[in-house]
Amino acid sequence: MDDKKAVVKVCAGTGSVSAGGGEVLRAFENLSRSSGIKTGFNNRCMTQKVGCRGFCSRDVLVDVILKGEKTTYEGIKPDMVPRIFEEHIIHGRPIREWMAGDEHKRFHSGQTKVVLSHCGEIDPEELDAYAAAGGYGSARKAYTLMNPEEIIEEIKRSNLRGRGGAGFPAGHKWEFARKTRSDKKYVVCNGNESDPGAFADRCIMEGDPHSIIEGMMICARAIGADKGYIYVRDSYALAVQRLRRALKQCYEQGLLGKNIFGSGQDLDIRLYPAPGAFISGEATALLKVIEGKRAMPVPRMHRTAEKGLWNRPTIVNNAETLANVPGIMSRGAEWFAGLGTETSGGTKVFSMTGKVNNTGLVEIPLGTTLREVIYDIGGGISNGRNFKAVQLGGPTGGCIPESFLDHQIDYESLALAGTIMGSGGMVVFDQHTCMVDTSKFFLEITQAESCGKCTPCRIGIRRMYEILDRITKGKGRLWDIELLEELGAHIRTTSLCGFGMTAPNPVLSTIRHFRDEYAVHIKDKKCPAMVCKDLLSFSCIPENCTGCGMCKMVCPADAVRGIRKKPHKIDQQLCIKCGSCFDACKFGAIHIQ
Amino acid sequence: MVNLNIDGEQISVDKNSTILDAANKLGITIPTLCHNPELTTFGGCRLCLVEVDGNPRPVASCATFVQDGMQVRSSTPYLERLRSTNIELLLSDHPNDCMLCERAGNCKLQELAYYYGIRENRFEGTRRIYNTQDNNPFVSREMEKCVMCGQCVRICEEIQGARAIDFSYKGLWTKVTPPFERDLDCEFCGQCVGVCPTGALTGKMWSNKGRQKFREVDTVCSYCGCGCNLTLAVKKNKIVRVYSRKNTINEGMLCAKGRFAYEFVHSPERLSRPLIRVNPKSNWVLEDSDQPYGSGKPRQRLAGFQDFKEVSWDEALEYIAFKIREIKENSGPDAIGGLSSARCTNEENYLFQKLIRAVIGTNNVDHCARY
């Protein structure tokens, strides 16, 4: 890069746009336009929007690259822009107090960026920017220099496994499709990421849409497909918009369409913005949606790689899996396999949320331990509290307690701990989280998202939710834990698709690791974490109460009685257990039981 | 051909058959609710689970192809427990009003509950409750009783091609409905009623006419020349419902007329003996309030009904032969034409044209379905 140029990179992922990234970018653009004459310098200021770089808790992030030196600012608001422009870009003096500190370095130092390597570096809406970063080189290589068998061999050697959750080796899947004879084959990108709290695929689709298209092109070459679908959740408005734009650019440049790179092979990729239903991320249900039917999984009597869309061989790969492919082709299978463990190569993107200091998108090599991710990259538990559990894999994943923190993150170890890789959701809980309430929360989602096809999933998950509900309301029965375990195991064994097989995970894993907490809820009718409202009672400690009346003022139910300067009382009949009095009391006079 | 072993019995079947097909061939009963050999595999009821050696999980036998050397166990205490839990779950979301249900005694769910001895339910909880809103005259839909086997949806789409119903909503509230939950407005073939394993779909005109101890009368449908086999359920010498057996020419399928249009049999207006006109044709007036679904009231008699005389068949045939001969002698055979009916069989139609051509001697013969 020309070191006389000043480059300003403004994060333009969804998180950043909602934090005001659009205005920051516009402010920079306006200033650079008007300043060209004023400064009289030769260097031209260039502003770029770039994809999400992961550290969403400190948005808006702005990189200023001046004379090849990169300075990162965090938490930038539009009114801070003139000062940065004035002092840093024109006078070359970085503003120390706004610069990203050690946390930012720590957040990034533990990560290995493969899929996200372009996110935060290049403009996702420009094909040229992607091409300048080496984009479409792998696809060109695959179409002109390699034959399909070589591509499949390369993917197999890289140990790339499906990032959608089940972790099926991608190379083997491609080989099945390659070997099946058919007049038409399809490649489908699964971008229906619906887990609450997961945003890995979303950031890839928003921050680097061309890498997905390139991955699909290589896959299509390998299996001989001439039609592709990018199945993306419609509510990811920015992702839909950027993918549509990327596809348009590819058609304009002749990267898609007829006779790609002179190889004689055609490829037509369509965008399929689908109304988001959780279950339509399941491969067979997804194919039914593209066929125009209701999103309902069908029994896998054949592999989708052999009989998928309209009974033709179809490769359904997650967006993250496909985004890994160009890197494998350009940097070699050995490099990729070397990043991960023996059984699974490469990296995995996790969306870290919950009670950690640094929330955001984290890409780590497989085989990293959970402790490294949460304490090194995540910066530990927020508010100095203690770690309690981490929930992996979205609402159908399980909770892992502290004793498993030193386990490696890979498909096998996570399965042993009772959870799944899933789409890469990682929710961290501190000691103030009630595990019964948490599993109830996840089951509330899954019971509503079941497609209703098979009995155990449709009725069973609802019944599990109802049992949990009565436990949190103090109406639990003594045999409820055993009943939950039996029903959970039953649903796991008998369900039709992967959704039902994993849906009881939150309950089964929390019973396994936090059985006492369930028992206390049922037997003692108490919630140790003080979360389940129906089990709490608020009372006033007369010794501590000064009668200031703050609690009386904030109580929305008028449940606090008392005269000024005299100890107050809380009417248990009226109390709605909102906790306002507890928060308002400065003397610690409110006691929760 | 593939060889496999089910419950210790060896069998050789085609490689495209499922474990369930093979078990049926051996006469081993595996309980199912959603399986129908005429339709695509659904795999929703999860009752047909079997254990296959080398497989960590039980597999659905309706959706697993046979493999060479497979060792299958169709009934173990573990499998029976899984099945009974599934039935328990189904019953926890079922109105359990077998006393008033049209299908009692002929209901697959009731039979399974009986077989597995489920009286108390560990999973009592929320139940679906719906308002019945159907104003159609044929199909009564009580969706609380639906077990979501999907047979109605599949037969409507795959065999009838009508696509009048499909699943809507999610989770426990999944429901089979016509589009936008409007009243059912389809061709009313009643195929869905025919395949429903429970009392969710029944015929409206069946209600309160009796459920068991029918006299079953096998006959052939008289509505068209297809010759669908019907079985009439007769009680007190009245038809109370019509269905068709699986092992018939029409494989148990019927159309709206065959299944629902049987009330004419007991109509007082039905002609049961030949009539001969005694007075010449006068001004006939047809009843104009011709409602599509009928009002249920007896129709007003046609004007001029009294102009006929009831006679015996011999008299009637003699009269016809006399008249035809008279016309043929006076005006020649081409003054006569014959029009036959699509409700006759091929053989009857053949004989009819033979009569017109060979006996009467004219080619003026036609058929209502020829256009």
Side-chain angles (χ1 to χ4, degrees):
Chain A
M1 191 178 285
D2 179 8
D3 57 52
K4 281 192 172 171
K5 227 192 259 176
V7 181
V8 179
K9 291 179 174 176
V10 181
C11 180
T14 301
S16 165
V17 168
S18 19
E23 279 99 73
V24 173
L25 181 70
R26 233 167 290 131
F28 270 113
E29 275 171 348
N30 289 341
L31 279 171
S32 72
R33 221 174 288 136
S34 56
S35 67
I37 317 135
K38 221 166 50 181
T39 51
F41 280 18
N42 279 338
N43 57 352
R44 192 166 55 88
C45 185
M46 201 170 108
T47 52
Q48 280 185 348
K49 51 185 173 305
V50 293
C52 181
R53 60 194 80 194
F55 205 16
C56 298
S57 57
R58 304 287 166 92
D59 271 332
V60 175
L61 295 161
V62 174
D63 281 348
V64 177
I65 304 171
L66 195 62
K67 297 180 184 149
E69 222 172 282
K70 182 164 144 188
T71 316
T72 306
Y73 293 104
E74 58 182 27
I76 298 303
K77 302 266 171 314
D79 53 349
M80 294 154 90
V81 171
R83 194 176 148 200
I84 297 177
F85 202 81
E86 184 73 23
E87 292 190 19
H88 190 168
I89 295 174
I90 298 177
H91 299 295
R93 288 197 307 267
I95 305 164
R96 297 231 165 266
E97 65 261 37
W98 292 348
M99 267 164 63
D102 293 343
E103 277 302 303
H104 192 268
K105 271 195 206 114
R106 244 173 85 184
F107 184 74
H108 284 288
S109 62
Q111 299 191 42
T112 312
K113 303 253 180 175
V114 175
V115 179
L116 298 178
S117 60
H118 288 148
C119 293
E121 297 301 327
I122 63 166
D123 188 340
E125 296 191 359
E126 293 303 326
L127 176 60
D128 294 343
Y130 184 69
Y136 290 106
S138 311
R140 185 182 294 277
K141 186 172 145 198
Y143 273 83
T144 53
L145 302 174
M146 295 172 85
N147 63 35
E149 282 74 22
E150 285 171 347
I151 302 174
I152 290 173
E153 197 48 43
E154 189 81 1
I155 299 295
K156 273 164 92 176
R157 274 195 293 127
S158 74
N159 265 343
L160 174 65
R161 291 174 67 172
R163 296 289 191 255
F168 192 80
H172 288 280
K173 205 191 237 183
W174 292 15
E175 198 173 19
F176 289 132
R178 171 84 207 160
K179 283 185 177 158
T180 311
R181 286 196 183 175
S182 173
D183 56 336
K184 202 150 176 78
K185 293 180 186 179
Y186 297 94
V187 48
V188 178
C189 164
N190 183 353
N192 185 71
E193 184 185 45
S194 310
D195 297 9
F199 42 88
D201 290 356
R202 175 182 204 160
C203 286
I204 298 166
M205 292 188 284
E206 285 171 1
D208 198 10
H210 283 288
S211 69
I212 293 169
I213 297 172
E214 191 177 357
M216 286 178 79
M217 284 170 74
I218 296 168
C219 177
R221 167 73 176 168
I223 65 166
D226 64 348
K227 180 99 191 169
Y229 287 97
I230 302 179
Y231 185 94
V232 50
R233 215 176 132 194
D234 200 26
S235 47
Y236 282 1
L238 196 61
V240 173
Q241 182 195 326
R242 287 193 177 156
L243 280 165
R244 185 166 283 146
R245 199 183 156 100
L247 284 173
K248 194 169 158 236
Q249 288 167 345
C250 286
Y251 275 107
E252 280 166 6
Q253 297 294 319
L255 292 167
L256 289 174
K258 301 265 173 223
N259 195 13
I260 298 165
F261 298 122
S263 65
Q265 204 170 333
D266 307 337
L267 178 62
D268 181 27
I269 296 183
R270 291 276 180 83
L271 194 64
Y272 197 101
F278 191 97
I279 196 64
S280 62
E282 206 273 348
T284 53
L286 183 153
L287 297 179
K288 287 283 155 223
V289 175
I290 297 182
E291 285 176 11
K293 294 178 182 155
R294 177 180 157 98
M296 264 185 166
V298 291
R300 291 182 188 235
M301 298 174 79
H302 307 269
R303 287 190 180 93
T304 50
E306 286 164 356
K307 259 188 174 185
L309 206 52
W310 292 294
N311 281 335
R312 303 306 208 304
T314 307
I315 289 293
V316 186
N317 271 145
N318 187 265
E320 194 187 332
T321 319
L322 288 167
N324 267 313
V325 172
I328 295 172
M329 299 306 286
S330 64
R331 296 168 80 170
E334 280 70 28
W335 161 79
F336 190 82
L339 284 175
T341 62
E342 249 176 51
T343 49
S344 31
T347 57
K348 170 80 187 123
V349 183
F350 284 98
S351 331
M352 192 156 48
T353 51
K355 305 287 170 59
V356 276
N357 281 319
N358 306 334
T359 56
L361 209 57
V362 183
E363 184 170 2
I364 44 155
L366 289 167
T368 317
T369 64
L370 276 164
R371 191 180 294 280
E372 284 174 276
V373 177
I374 293 167
Y375 283 93
D376 295 349
I377 301 172
I381 310 300
S382 51
N383 299 332
R385 288 175 180 167
N386 286 337
F387 173 85
K388 182 166 188 181
V390 55
Q391 213 263 359
L392 284 166
T396 61
C399 291
I400 301 181
E402 193 159 11
S403 52
F404 284 84
L405 269 189
D406 290 312
H407 278 225
Q408 287 189 344
I409 301 180
D410 61 47
Y411 293 93
E412 288 81 18
S413 315
L414 290 185
L416 273 181
T419 182
I420 52 168
M421 186 79 90
S423 56
M426 186 185 274
V427 189
V428 181
F429 302 126
D430 63 13
Q431 82 238 44
H432 288 239
T433 316
C434 169
M435 296 323 281
V436 186
D437 187 65
T438 307
S439 41
K440 182 182 131 188
F441 169 78
F442 286 117
L443 253 73
E444 194 174 354
I445 298 168
T446 43
Q447 61 94 13
E449 289 295 339
S450 162
C451 78
K453 187 172 188 173
C454 69
T455 314
C457 179
R458 180 181 73 245
I459 308 174
I461 298 177
R462 173 76 199 177
R463 296 295 175 245
M464 282 183 91
Y465 166 73
E466 284 165 359
I467 296 171
L468 287 171
D469 192 51
R470 70 171 179 244
I471 294 177
T472 56
K473 293 208 165 116
K475 292 173 188 153
R477 299 167 194 166
L478 285 176
W479 57 88
D480 271 351
I481 301 181
E482 285 74 29
L483 191 59
L484 277 175
E485 278 179 322
E486 194 199 323
L487 187 52
H490 173 81
I491 296 168
R492 192 186 255 181
T493 324
T494 58
S495 283
L496 169 68
C497 76
F499 176 82
M501 289 178 208
T502 52
N505 274 343
V507 184
L508 293 179
S509 64
T510 46
I511 292 183
R512 181 174 149 195
H513 302 304
F514 303 94
R515 201 185 183 94
D516 296 349
E517 227 176 293
Y518 280 82
V520 170
H521 274 81
I522 293 170
K523 286 183 191 140
D524 306 342
K525 317 266 182 232
K526 291 263 184 319
C527 177
M530 309 288 175
V531 173
C532 302
K533 283 191 175 156
D534 292 287
L535 303 182
L536 300 182
S537 69
F538 288 77
S539 57
C540 189
I541 307 167
E543 294 82 58
N544 294 4
C545 185
T546 59
C548 69
M550 267 314 275
C551 48
K552 201 173 173 181
M553 234 158 77
V554 294
C555 181
D558 284 336
V560 184
R561 300 279 155 79
I563 315 163
R564 225 172 145 67
K565 310 265 182 194
K566 292 263 172 67
H568 285 38
K569 265 190 178 168
I570 298 174
D571 188 334
Q572 298 299 328
Q573 299 285 311
L574 293 176
C575 179
I576 56 164
K577 291 155 189 176
C578 66
S580 304
C581 50
F582 181 79
D583 294 335
C585 184
K586 295 191 180 92
F587 307 98
I590 304 288
H591 179 63
I592 312 177
Q593 241 179 349
Chain B
M1 296 299 267
V2 174
N3 293 305
L4 72 157
N5 183 309
I6 305 178
D7 293 345
E9 290 185 61
Q10 204 70 28
I11 190 174
S12 171
V13 287
D14 183 73
K15 71 172 171 27
N16 284 327
S17 18
T18 59
I19 298 176
L20 188 65
D21 296 336
N24 284 343
K25 225 172 156 184
L26 275 174
I28 295 170
T29 319
I30 297 176
T32 61
L33 274 174
C34 68
H35 180 73
N36 188 330
E38 310 288 331
L39 307 172
T40 52
T41 311
F42 191 68
C45 70
R46 314 310 284 173
L47 294 177
C48 68
L49 298 168
V50 292
E51 279 180 1
V52 176
D53 275 5
N55 232 333
R57 285 161 48 93
V59 297
S61 59
C62 70
T64 313
F65 288 122
V66 290
Q67 277 166 9
D68 225 359
M70 233 178 195
Q71 298 283 329
V72 182
R73 267 157 293 138
S74 74
S75 175
T76 62
Y78 174 58
L79 285 175
E80 295 303 334
R81 205 173 67 235
L82 294 180
R83 286 174 190 158
S84 108
T85 308
N86 266 339
I87 295 162
E88 217 177 324
L89 284 170
L90 280 173
L91 290 174
S92 75
D93 182 29
H94 194 81
N96 296 337
D97 67 341
C98 298
M99 290 192 187
L100 289 178
C101 181
E102 206 55 57
R103 286 295 295 269
N106 182 24
C107 168
K108 270 193 169 181
L109 186 65
Q110 195 188 33
E111 196 62 18
L112 286 166
Y114 162 78
Y115 187 75
Y116 285 94
I118 296 165
R119 181 188 292 270
E120 265 144 41
N121 204 312
R122 293 172 294 163
F123 307 114
E124 290 295 342
T126 325
R127 279 220 311 251
R128 298 166 292 169
I129 291 167
Y130 298 123
N131 297 329
T132 41
Q133 53 162 22
D134 261 310
N135 291 322
N136 75 73
F138 299 119
V139 182
S140 149
R141 301 189 304 138
E142 290 172 68
M143 299 320 286
E144 295 95 340
K145 296 178 185 168
C146 176
V147 292
M148 229 51 78
C149 71
Q151 288 193 66
C152 50
V153 175
R154 283 176 289 155
I155 203 161
C156 192
E157 180 185 339
E158 292 167 18
I159 289 177
Q160 207 62 25
R163 300 187 179 187
I165 44 175
D166 205 340
F167 298 99
S168 53
Y169 304 105
K170 288 189 283 191
L172 187 72
W173 285 271
T174 311
K175 184 183 180 189
V176 176
T177 63
F180 310 106
E181 281 218 69
R182 287 198 287 246
D183 280 344
L184 193 63
D185 184 16
C186 59
E187 54 192 73
F188 296 113
C189 61
Q191 296 273 60
C192 48
V193 177
V195 292
C196 184
T198 69
L201 299 172
T202 50
K204 265 206 177 147
M205 48 235 271
W206 302 356
S207 65
N208 308 326
K209 298 253 170 70
R211 302 182 286 195
Q212 285 144 33
K213 292 189 182 162
F214 298 127
R215 188 156 61 88
E216 288 186 316
V217 180
D218 289 325
T219 180
V220 176
C221 179
S222 62
Y223 273 107
C224 75
C226 286
C228 292
N229 291 27
L230 302 182
T231 303
L232 313 177
V234 179
K235 201 156 197 174
K236 291 182 189 162
N237 213 24
K238 283 211 162 180
I239 302 175
V240 289
R241 61 179 81 164
V242 174
Y243 46 87
S244 181
R245 296 182 204 271
K246 277 265 174 270
N247 54 356
T248 52
I249 184 77
N250 44 309
E251 297 174 350
M253 293 169 198
L254 291 175
C255 72
K257 291 195 248 178
R259 197 184 305 270
F260 294 122
Y262 57 80
E263 279 184 336
F264 76 94
V265 175
H266 305 296
S267 167
E269 287 174 29
R270 188 178 157 195
L271 298 185
S272 48
R273 310 210 20 216
L275 300 176
I276 291 180
R277 179 186 298 283
V278 286
N279 293 325
K281 225 186 235 182
S282 56
N283 3 323
W284 278 18
V285 184
L286 275 171
E287 186 192 7
D288 52 13
S289 63
D290 217 14
Q291 289 186 359
Y293 298 145
S295 52
K297 282 180 267 174
R299 282 163 68 113
Q300 210 183 331
R301 285 181 185 279
L302 294 174
F305 193 81
Q306 62 279 13
D307 301 339
F308 294 92
K309 181 180 85 178
E310 269 191 13
V311 292
S312 72
W313 274 110
D314 284 344
E315 258 180 280
L317 290 173
E318 231 166 71
Y319 184 67
I320 293 167
F322 169 74
K323 280 287 184 187
I324 286 180
R325 193 174 287 130
E326 190 182 289
I327 295 166
K328 195 178 165 185
E329 275 164 14
N330 292 346
S331 320
D334 282 339
I336 303 168
L339 189 65
S340 103
S341 165
R343 292 176 60 165
C344 301
T345 61
N346 268 344
E347 292 80 0
E348 286 162 342
N349 279 320
Y350 173 80
L351 290 174
F352 181 75
Q353 65 87 27
K354 202 77 183 167
L355 174 82
I356 299 289
R357 289 207 170 101
V359 179
I360 295 170
T362 173
N363 283 325
N364 293 340
V365 60
D366 212 338
H367 179 274
C368 69
R370 200 206 61 149
Y371 299 111

